[in-house]
PDB file of all heavy atoms in Angstrom:
ATOM      1  N   ARG A   1     -10.045   0.640   0.214  1.00 98.00           N
ATOM      2  CA  ARG A   1     -11.221   1.379  -0.265  1.00 98.00           C
ATOM      3  C   ARG A   1     -12.471   1.085   0.570  1.00 98.00           C
ATOM      4  O   ARG A   1     -13.444   1.836   0.504  1.00 98.00           O
ATOM      5  CB  ARG A   1     -11.492   1.023  -1.729  1.00 98.00           C
ATOM      6  CG  ARG A   1     -10.525   1.678  -2.711  1.00 98.00           C
ATOM      7  CD  ARG A   1     -10.856   1.240  -4.113  1.00 98.00           C
ATOM      8  NE  ARG A   1     -10.185   2.037  -5.130  1.00 98.00           N
ATOM      9  CZ  ARG A   1     -10.391   1.888  -6.432  1.00 98.00           C
ATOM     10  NH1 ARG A   1     -11.248   0.966  -6.864  1.00 98.00           N
ATOM     11  NH2 ARG A   1      -9.752   2.638  -7.302  1.00 98.00           N
ATOM     12  N   GLY A   2     -12.436   0.022   1.340  1.00 98.00           N
ATOM     13  CA  GLY A   2     -13.570  -0.299   2.200  1.00 98.00           C
ATOM     14  C   GLY A   2     -13.486   0.331   3.576  1.00 98.00           C
ATOM     15  O   GLY A   2     -14.424   0.219   4.374  1.00 98.00           O
ATOM     16  N   LEU A   3     -12.374   0.999   3.861  1.00 98.00           N
ATOM     17  CA  LEU A   3     -12.154   1.593   5.177  1.00 98.00           C
ATOM     18  C   LEU A   3     -12.673   3.029   5.246  1.00 98.00           C
ATOM     19  O   LEU A   3     -12.777   3.703   4.209  1.00 98.00           O
ATOM     20  CB  LEU A   3     -10.658   1.592   5.504  1.00 98.00           C
ATOM     21  CG  LEU A   3      -9.995   0.226   5.695  1.00 98.00           C
ATOM     22  CD1 LEU A   3      -8.488   0.398   5.811  1.00 98.00           C
ATOM     23  CD2 LEU A   3     -10.548  -0.477   6.928  1.00 98.00           C
ATOM     24  N   PRO A   4     -12.950   3.513   6.447  1.00 97.00           N
ATOM     25  CA  PRO A   4     -13.264   4.940   6.589  1.00 97.00           C
ATOM     26  C   PRO A   4     -12.019   5.774   6.307  1.00 97.00           C
ATOM     27  O   PRO A   4     -10.904   5.237   6.196  1.00 97.00           O
ATOM     28  CB  PRO A   4     -13.706   5.052   8.048  1.00 97.00           C
ATOM     29  CG  PRO A   4     -13.043   3.906   8.745  1.00 97.00           C
ATOM     30  CD  PRO A   4     -12.989   2.795   7.735  1.00 97.00           C
ATOM     31  N   SER A   5     -12.195   7.074   6.214  1.00 95.00           N
ATOM     32  CA  SER A   5     -11.084   7.953   5.815  1.00 95.00           C
ATOM     33  C   SER A   5      -9.905   7.902   6.778  1.00 95.00           C
ATOM     34  O   SER A   5      -8.768   8.178   6.388  1.00 95.00           O
ATOM     35  CB  SER A   5     -11.582   9.399   5.685  1.00 95.00           C
ATOM     36  OG  SER A   5     -12.146   9.841   6.910  1.00 95.00           O
ATOM     37  N   ASP A   6     -10.174   7.549   8.026  1.00 97.00           N
ATOM     38  CA  ASP A   6      -9.081   7.450   9.004  1.00 97.00           C
ATOM     39  C   ASP A   6      -8.627   6.000   9.211  1.00 97.00           C
ATOM     40  O   ASP A   6      -7.940   5.697  10.187  1.00 97.00           O
ATOM     41  CB  ASP A   6      -9.492   8.060  10.342  1.00 97.00           C
ATOM     42  CG  ASP A   6     -10.722   7.383  10.952  1.00 97.00           C
ATOM     43  OD1 ASP A   6     -11.425   6.652  10.227  1.00 97.00           O
ATOM     44  OD2 ASP A   6     -10.972   7.591  12.153  1.00 97.00           O
ATOM     45  N   GLY A   7      -8.992   5.115   8.286  1.00 98.00           N
ATOM     46  CA  GLY A   7      -8.592   3.714   8.380  1.00 98.00           C
ATOM     47  C   GLY A   7      -7.139   3.501   8.015  1.00 98.00           C
ATOM     48  O   GLY A   7      -6.476   4.381   7.445  1.00 98.00           O
ATOM     49  N   LYS A   8      -6.638   2.304   8.333  1.00 98.00           N
ATOM     50  CA  LYS A   8      -5.219   1.997   8.114  1.00 98.00           C
ATOM     51  C   LYS A   8      -5.053   0.541   7.710  1.00 98.00           C
ATOM     52  O   LYS A   8      -5.659  -0.356   8.303  1.00 98.00           O
ATOM     53  CB  LYS A   8      -4.439   2.263   9.412  1.00 98.00           C
ATOM     54  CG  LYS A   8      -2.948   1.977   9.347  1.00 98.00           C
ATOM     55  CD  LYS A   8      -2.204   3.104   8.673  1.00 98.00           C
ATOM     56  CE  LYS A   8      -0.686   2.940   8.786  1.00 98.00           C
ATOM     57  NZ  LYS A   8       0.036   4.043   8.127  1.00 98.00           N
ATOM     58  N   VAL A   9      -4.230   0.301   6.687  1.00 98.00           N
ATOM     59  CA  VAL A   9      -3.811  -1.044   6.310  1.00 98.00           C
ATOM     60  C   VAL A   9      -2.305  -1.139   6.499  1.00 98.00           C
ATOM     61  O   VAL A   9      -1.555  -0.300   5.986  1.00 98.00           O
ATOM     62  CB  VAL A   9      -4.142  -1.379   4.839  1.00 98.00           C
ATOM     63  CG1 VAL A   9      -3.659  -2.795   4.493  1.00 98.00           C
ATOM     64  CG2 VAL A   9      -5.630  -1.239   4.557  1.00 98.00           C
ATOM     65  N   ILE A  10      -1.866  -2.135   7.245  1.00 98.00           N
ATOM     66  CA  ILE A  10      -0.443  -2.492   7.278  1.00 98.00           C
ATOM     67  C   ILE A  10      -0.308  -3.780   6.482  1.00 98.00           C
ATOM     68  O   ILE A  10      -0.983  -4.773   6.772  1.00 98.00           O
ATOM     69  CB  ILE A  10       0.064  -2.687   8.718  1.00 98.00           C
ATOM     70  CG1 ILE A  10       0.003  -1.361   9.485  1.00 98.00           C
ATOM     71  CG2 ILE A  10       1.498  -3.225   8.709  1.00 98.00           C
ATOM     72  CD1 ILE A  10       0.471  -1.449  10.931  1.00 98.00           C
ATOM     73  N   THR A  11       0.530  -3.766   5.468  1.00 98.00           N
ATOM     74  CA  THR A  11       0.688  -4.922   4.597  1.00 98.00           C
ATOM     75  C   THR A  11       2.157  -5.344   4.549  1.00 98.00           C
ATOM     76  O   THR A  11       3.054  -4.502   4.507  1.00 98.00           O
ATOM     77  CB  THR A  11       0.121  -4.632   3.188  1.00 98.00           C
ATOM     78  OG1 THR A  11       0.216  -5.795   2.365  1.00 98.00           O
ATOM     79  CG2 THR A  11       0.815  -3.466   2.507  1.00 98.00           C
ATOM     80  N   LEU A  12       2.390  -6.636   4.603  1.00 98.00           N
ATOM     81  CA  LEU A  12       3.747  -7.185   4.710  1.00 98.00           C
ATOM     82  C   LEU A  12       4.142  -7.858   3.404  1.00 98.00           C
ATOM     83  O   LEU A  12       3.400  -8.691   2.870  1.00 98.00           O
ATOM     84  CB  LEU A  12       3.814  -8.201   5.849  1.00 98.00           C
ATOM     85  CG  LEU A  12       3.217  -7.776   7.200  1.00 98.00           C
ATOM     86  CD1 LEU A  12       3.406  -8.895   8.221  1.00 98.00           C
ATOM     87  CD2 LEU A  12       3.829  -6.480   7.686  1.00 98.00           C
ATOM     88  N   GLU A  13       5.333  -7.521   2.887  1.00 98.00           N
ATOM     89  CA  GLU A  13       5.803  -8.095   1.630  1.00 98.00           C
ATOM     90  C   GLU A  13       7.287  -8.444   1.727  1.00 98.00           C
ATOM     91  O   GLU A  13       8.109  -7.615   2.115  1.00 98.00           O
ATOM     92  CB  GLU A  13       5.576  -7.117   0.472  1.00 98.00           C
ATOM     93  CG  GLU A  13       6.113  -7.579  -0.867  1.00 98.00           C
ATOM     94  CD  GLU A  13       5.634  -8.963  -1.285  1.00 98.00           C
ATOM     95  OE1 GLU A  13       4.412  -9.209  -1.202  1.00 98.00           O
ATOM     96  OE2 GLU A  13       6.483  -9.800  -1.665  1.00 98.00           O
ATOM     97  N   LEU A  14       7.603  -9.678   1.376  1.00 98.00           N
ATOM     98  CA  LEU A  14       8.990 -10.152   1.435  1.00 98.00           C
ATOM     99  C   LEU A  14       9.861  -9.549   0.346  1.00 98.00           C
ATOM    100  O   LEU A  14      10.981  -9.115   0.596  1.00 98.00           O
ATOM    101  CB  LEU A  14       9.006 -11.683   1.315  1.00 98.00           C
ATOM    102  CG  LEU A  14      10.378 -12.350   1.162  1.00 98.00           C
ATOM    103  CD1 LEU A  14      11.221 -12.148   2.420  1.00 98.00           C
ATOM    104  CD2 LEU A  14      10.213 -13.840   0.864  1.00 98.00           C
ATOM    105  N   ASP A  15       9.358  -9.506  -0.883  1.00 97.00           N
ATOM    106  CA  ASP A  15      10.155  -9.162  -2.058  1.00 97.00           C
ATOM    107  C   ASP A  15      10.205  -7.648  -2.270  1.00 97.00           C
ATOM    108  O   ASP A  15       9.171  -7.023  -2.495  1.00 97.00           O
ATOM    109  CB  ASP A  15       9.546  -9.848  -3.291  1.00 97.00           C
ATOM    110  CG  ASP A  15      10.426  -9.770  -4.509  1.00 97.00           C
ATOM    111  OD1 ASP A  15      10.898  -8.657  -4.836  1.00 97.00           O
ATOM    112  OD2 ASP A  15      10.637 -10.816  -5.160  1.00 97.00           O
ATOM    113  N   PRO A  16      11.412  -7.039  -2.240  1.00 98.00           N
ATOM    114  CA  PRO A  16      11.508  -5.584  -2.421  1.00 98.00           C
ATOM    115  C   PRO A  16      10.963  -5.115  -3.765  1.00 98.00           C
ATOM    116  O   PRO A  16      10.391  -4.020  -3.857  1.00 98.00           O
ATOM    117  CB  PRO A  16      13.015  -5.313  -2.307  1.00 98.00           C
ATOM    118  CG  PRO A  16      13.555  -6.455  -1.522  1.00 98.00           C
ATOM    119  CD  PRO A  16      12.723  -7.641  -1.913  1.00 98.00           C
ATOM    120  N   HIS A  17      11.131  -5.942  -4.818  1.00 98.00           N
ATOM    121  CA  HIS A  17      10.607  -5.569  -6.130  1.00 98.00           C
ATOM    122  C   HIS A  17       9.084  -5.525  -6.107  1.00 98.00           C
ATOM    123  O   HIS A  17       8.466  -4.573  -6.605  1.00 98.00           O
ATOM    124  CB  HIS A  17      11.090  -6.561  -7.187  1.00 98.00           C
ATOM    125  CG  HIS A  17      10.489  -6.339  -8.543  1.00 98.00           C
ATOM    126  ND1 HIS A  17      10.591  -5.154  -9.219  1.00 98.00           N
ATOM    127  CD2 HIS A  17       9.746  -7.166  -9.343  1.00 98.00           C
ATOM    128  CE1 HIS A  17       9.962  -5.242 -10.385  1.00 98.00           C
ATOM    129  NE2 HIS A  17       9.429  -6.461 -10.466  1.00 98.00           N
ATOM    130  N   HIS A  18       8.465  -6.529  -5.505  1.00 98.00           N
ATOM    131  CA  HIS A  18       7.005  -6.534  -5.380  1.00 98.00           C
ATOM    132  C   HIS A  18       6.544  -5.306  -4.593  1.00 98.00           C
ATOM    133  O   HIS A  18       5.558  -4.655  -4.964  1.00 98.00           O
ATOM    134  CB  HIS A  18       6.526  -7.798  -4.660  1.00 98.00           C
ATOM    135  CG  HIS A  18       6.773  -9.053  -5.421  1.00 98.00           C
ATOM    136  ND1 HIS A  18       6.433 -10.299  -4.925  1.00 98.00           N
ATOM    137  CD2 HIS A  18       7.319  -9.274  -6.641  1.00 98.00           C
ATOM    138  CE1 HIS A  18       6.763 -11.232  -5.808  1.00 98.00           C
ATOM    139  NE2 HIS A  18       7.308 -10.632  -6.850  1.00 98.00           N
ATOM    140  N   ALA A  19       7.252  -5.020  -3.517  1.00 98.00           N
ATOM    141  CA  ALA A  19       6.872  -3.880  -2.672  1.00 98.00           C
ATOM    142  C   ALA A  19       7.000  -2.566  -3.427  1.00 98.00           C
ATOM    143  O   ALA A  19       6.162  -1.656  -3.260  1.00 98.00           O
ATOM    144  CB  ALA A  19       7.748  -3.854  -1.418  1.00 98.00           C
ATOM    145  N   GLU A  20       8.025  -2.452  -4.259  1.00 98.00           N
ATOM    146  CA  GLU A  20       8.206  -1.228  -5.049  1.00 98.00           C
ATOM    147  C   GLU A  20       7.044  -1.035  -6.030  1.00 98.00           C
ATOM    148  O   GLU A  20       6.518   0.069  -6.179  1.00 98.00           O
ATOM    149  CB  GLU A  20       9.531  -1.303  -5.814  1.00 98.00           C
ATOM    150  CG  GLU A  20       9.844  -0.060  -6.632  1.00 98.00           C
ATOM    151  CD  GLU A  20      11.164  -0.174  -7.377  1.00 98.00           C
ATOM    152  OE1 GLU A  20      11.810  -1.247  -7.312  1.00 98.00           O
ATOM    153  OE2 GLU A  20      11.545   0.815  -8.034  1.00 98.00           O
ATOM    154  N   VAL A  21       6.648  -2.129  -6.679  1.00 98.00           N
ATOM    155  CA  VAL A  21       5.514  -2.067  -7.606  1.00 98.00           C
ATOM    156  C   VAL A  21       4.236  -1.720  -6.840  1.00 98.00           C
ATOM    157  O   VAL A  21       3.441  -0.875  -7.271  1.00 98.00           O
ATOM    158  CB  VAL A  21       5.355  -3.405  -8.354  1.00 98.00           C
ATOM    159  CG1 VAL A  21       4.093  -3.407  -9.218  1.00 98.00           C
ATOM    160  CG2 VAL A  21       6.586  -3.687  -9.213  1.00 98.00           C
ATOM    161  N   ALA A  22       4.051  -2.358  -5.691  1.00 98.00           N
ATOM    162  CA  ALA A  22       2.861  -2.095  -4.875  1.00 98.00           C
ATOM    163  C   ALA A  22       2.812  -0.639  -4.427  1.00 98.00           C
ATOM    164  O   ALA A  22       1.742  -0.010  -4.451  1.00 98.00           O
ATOM    165  CB  ALA A  22       2.846  -3.027  -3.666  1.00 98.00           C
ATOM    166  N   GLU A  23       3.949  -0.102  -4.023  1.00 98.00           N
ATOM    167  CA  GLU A  23       3.981   1.291  -3.563  1.00 98.00           C
ATOM    168  C   GLU A  23       3.538   2.236  -4.670  1.00 98.00           C
ATOM    169  O   GLU A  23       2.751   3.177  -4.431  1.00 98.00           O
ATOM    170  CB  GLU A  23       5.389   1.652  -3.086  1.00 98.00           C
ATOM    171  CG  GLU A  23       5.494   3.032  -2.478  1.00 98.00           C
ATOM    172  CD  GLU A  23       6.862   3.320  -1.872  1.00 98.00           C
ATOM    173  OE1 GLU A  23       7.801   2.555  -2.139  1.00 98.00           O
ATOM    174  OE2 GLU A  23       6.979   4.315  -1.135  1.00 98.00           O
ATOM    175  N   ALA A  24       4.014   1.985  -5.904  1.00 98.00           N
ATOM    176  CA  ALA A  24       3.617   2.820  -7.036  1.00 98.00           C
ATOM    177  C   ALA A  24       2.131   2.658  -7.331  1.00 98.00           C
ATOM    178  O   ALA A  24       1.430   3.642  -7.618  1.00 98.00           O
ATOM    179  CB  ALA A  24       4.447   2.456  -8.269  1.00 98.00           C
ATOM    180  N   ASN A  25       1.637   1.429  -7.260  1.00 98.00           N
ATOM    181  CA  ASN A  25       0.212   1.181  -7.505  1.00 98.00           C
ATOM    182  C   ASN A  25      -0.664   1.873  -6.463  1.00 98.00           C
ATOM    183  O   ASN A  25      -1.697   2.458  -6.790  1.00 98.00           O
ATOM    184  CB  ASN A  25      -0.073  -0.320  -7.490  1.00 98.00           C
ATOM    185  CG  ASN A  25       0.426  -1.036  -8.732  1.00 98.00           C
ATOM    186  OD1 ASN A  25       0.574  -0.429  -9.797  1.00 98.00           O
ATOM    187  ND2 ASN A  25       0.703  -2.319  -8.605  1.00 98.00           N
ATOM    188  N   ILE A  26      -0.238   1.793  -5.213  1.00 98.00           N
ATOM    189  CA  ILE A  26      -0.999   2.404  -4.128  1.00 98.00           C
ATOM    190  C   ILE A  26      -1.010   3.928  -4.265  1.00 98.00           C
ATOM    191  O   ILE A  26      -2.039   4.581  -4.046  1.00 98.00           O
ATOM    192  CB  ILE A  26      -0.422   1.951  -2.769  1.00 98.00           C
ATOM    193  CG1 ILE A  26      -0.749   0.463  -2.542  1.00 98.00           C
ATOM    194  CG2 ILE A  26      -0.937   2.816  -1.632  1.00 98.00           C
ATOM    195  CD1 ILE A  26       0.079  -0.193  -1.461  1.00 98.00           C
ATOM    196  N   ALA A  27       0.119   4.496  -4.657  1.00 98.00           N
ATOM    197  CA  ALA A  27       0.179   5.941  -4.895  1.00 98.00           C
ATOM    198  C   ALA A  27      -0.742   6.325  -6.047  1.00 98.00           C
ATOM    199  O   ALA A  27      -1.450   7.347  -5.983  1.00 98.00           O
ATOM    200  CB  ALA A  27       1.617   6.363  -5.189  1.00 98.00           C
ATOM    201  N   HIS A  28      -0.755   5.524  -7.095  1.00 98.00           N
ATOM    202  CA  HIS A  28      -1.631   5.774  -8.241  1.00 98.00           C
ATOM    203  C   HIS A  28      -3.100   5.753  -7.823  1.00 98.00           C
ATOM    204  O   HIS A  28      -3.918   6.524  -8.355  1.00 98.00           O
ATOM    205  CB  HIS A  28      -1.369   4.721  -9.327  1.00 98.00           C
ATOM    206  CG  HIS A  28      -2.212   4.870 -10.551  1.00 98.00           C
ATOM    207  ND1 HIS A  28      -2.274   6.035 -11.289  1.00 98.00           N
ATOM    208  CD2 HIS A  28      -3.038   3.996 -11.188  1.00 98.00           C
ATOM    209  CE1 HIS A  28      -3.089   5.879 -12.317  1.00 98.00           C
ATOM    210  NE2 HIS A  28      -3.576   4.651 -12.270  1.00 98.00           N
ATOM    211  N   ALA A  29      -3.421   4.904  -6.861  1.00 98.00           N
ATOM    212  CA  ALA A  29      -4.798   4.820  -6.355  1.00 98.00           C
ATOM    213  C   ALA A  29      -5.121   5.923  -5.346  1.00 98.00           C
ATOM    214  O   ALA A  29      -6.261   6.025  -4.888  1.00 98.00           O
ATOM    215  CB  ALA A  29      -5.031   3.450  -5.709  1.00 98.00           C
ATOM    216  N   GLY A  30      -4.129   6.737  -4.990  1.00 98.00           N
ATOM    217  CA  GLY A  30      -4.343   7.826  -4.043  1.00 98.00           C
ATOM    218  C   GLY A  30      -4.552   7.360  -2.619  1.00 98.00           C
ATOM    219  O   GLY A  30      -5.214   8.033  -1.820  1.00 98.00           O
ATOM    220  N   LEU A  31      -3.933   6.215  -2.265  1.00 98.00           N
ATOM    221  CA  LEU A  31      -4.175   5.624  -0.949  1.00 98.00           C
ATOM    222  C   LEU A  31      -2.910   5.510  -0.099  1.00 98.00           C
ATOM    223  O   LEU A  31      -2.901   4.816   0.914  1.00 98.00           O
ATOM    224  CB  LEU A  31      -4.808   4.237  -1.117  1.00 98.00           C
ATOM    225  CG  LEU A  31      -6.218   4.230  -1.727  1.00 98.00           C
ATOM    226  CD1 LEU A  31      -6.638   2.815  -2.096  1.00 98.00           C
ATOM    227  CD2 LEU A  31      -7.219   4.855  -0.771  1.00 98.00           C
ATOM    228  N   GLY A  32      -1.872   6.211  -0.521  1.00 97.00           N
ATOM    229  CA  GLY A  32      -0.614   6.119   0.210  1.00 97.00           C
ATOM    230  C   GLY A  32      -0.722   6.533   1.667  1.00 97.00           C
ATOM    231  O   GLY A  32       0.016   6.023   2.520  1.00 97.00           O
ATOM    232  N   HIS A  33      -1.645   7.431   1.973  1.00 97.00           N
ATOM    233  CA  HIS A  33      -1.807   7.911   3.347  1.00 97.00           C
ATOM    234  C   HIS A  33      -2.490   6.884   4.244  1.00 97.00           C
ATOM    235  O   HIS A  33      -2.449   7.010   5.475  1.00 97.00           O
ATOM    236  CB  HIS A  33      -2.635   9.201   3.351  1.00 97.00           C
ATOM    237  CG  HIS A  33      -4.025   9.027   2.838  1.00 97.00           C
ATOM    238  ND1 HIS A  33      -4.304   8.755   1.516  1.00 97.00           N
ATOM    239  CD2 HIS A  33      -5.236   9.078   3.473  1.00 97.00           C
ATOM    240  CE1 HIS A  33      -5.611   8.656   1.349  1.00 97.00           C
ATOM    241  NE2 HIS A  33      -6.189   8.835   2.516  1.00 97.00           N
ATOM    242  N   MET A  34      -3.090   5.852   3.631  1.00 98.00           N
ATOM    243  CA  MET A  34      -3.828   4.856   4.407  1.00 98.00           C
ATOM    244  C   MET A  34      -3.096   3.520   4.515  1.00 98.00           C
ATOM    245  O   MET A  34      -3.502   2.672   5.307  1.00 98.00           O
ATOM    246  CB  MET A  34      -5.204   4.595   3.774  1.00 98.00           C
ATOM    247  CG  MET A  34      -6.120   5.790   3.760  1.00 98.00           C
ATOM    248  SD  MET A  34      -7.707   5.425   2.951  1.00 98.00           S
ATOM    249  CE  MET A  34      -8.410   4.273   4.134  1.00 98.00           C
ATOM    250  N   ILE A  35      -2.060   3.336   3.711  1.00 98.00           N
ATOM    251  CA  ILE A  35      -1.423   2.021   3.602  1.00 98.00           C
ATOM    252  C   ILE A  35       0.061   2.121   3.918  1.00 98.00           C
ATOM    253  O   ILE A  35       0.779   2.954   3.354  1.00 98.00           O
ATOM    254  CB  ILE A  35      -1.612   1.435   2.181  1.00 98.00           C
ATOM    255  CG1 ILE A  35      -3.103   1.270   1.867  1.00 98.00           C
ATOM    256  CG2 ILE A  35      -0.876   0.098   2.044  1.00 98.00           C
ATOM    257  CD1 ILE A  35      -3.397   0.948   0.408  1.00 98.00           C
ATOM    258  N   GLN A  36       0.513   1.255   4.801  1.00 98.00           N
ATOM    259  CA  GLN A  36       1.946   1.142   5.114  1.00 98.00           C
ATOM    260  C   GLN A  36       2.438  -0.219   4.650  1.00 98.00           C
ATOM    261  O   GLN A  36       1.901  -1.251   5.072  1.00 98.00           O
ATOM    262  CB  GLN A  36       2.206   1.289   6.616  1.00 98.00           C
ATOM    263  CG  GLN A  36       3.673   1.110   6.984  1.00 98.00           C
ATOM    264  CD  GLN A  36       3.905   0.982   8.487  1.00 98.00           C
ATOM    265  OE1 GLN A  36       2.974   0.768   9.253  1.00 98.00           O
ATOM    266  NE2 GLN A  36       5.149   1.094   8.908  1.00 98.00           N
ATOM    267  N   ILE A  37       3.457  -0.234   3.795  1.00 98.00           N
ATOM    268  CA  ILE A  37       4.082  -1.484   3.369  1.00 98.00           C
ATOM    269  C   ILE A  37       5.324  -1.703   4.218  1.00 98.00           C
ATOM    270  O   ILE A  37       6.195  -0.830   4.305  1.00 98.00           O
ATOM    271  CB  ILE A  37       4.487  -1.440   1.881  1.00 98.00           C
ATOM    272  CG1 ILE A  37       3.298  -1.108   1.000  1.00 98.00           C
ATOM    273  CG2 ILE A  37       5.108  -2.780   1.464  1.00 98.00           C
ATOM    274  CD1 ILE A  37       3.667  -0.891  -0.468  1.00 98.00           C
TER     275      ILE A  37
END
């Protein structure tokens, strides 16, 4: 949310369950286009 519209976050997660929850949360926040897990 602190990035400009063309910003990008790459985030690394070991646990597939955590990543699945994070992906749903990020989609809920409308930021899927800015974040790669």
Side-chain angles (χ1 to χ4, degrees):
R1 285 179 167 184
L3 294 172
S5 58
D6 59 345
K8 179 79 171 180
V9 179
I10 295 179
T11 183
L12 312 181
E13 176 53 48
L14 172 65
D15 191 311
H17 174 57
H18 294 179
E20 182 180 3
V21 174
E23 185 174 13
N25 286 335
I26 290 163
H28 180 55
L31 294 169
H33 63 291
M34 297 178 68
I35 300 169
Q36 177 191 14
I37 304 173

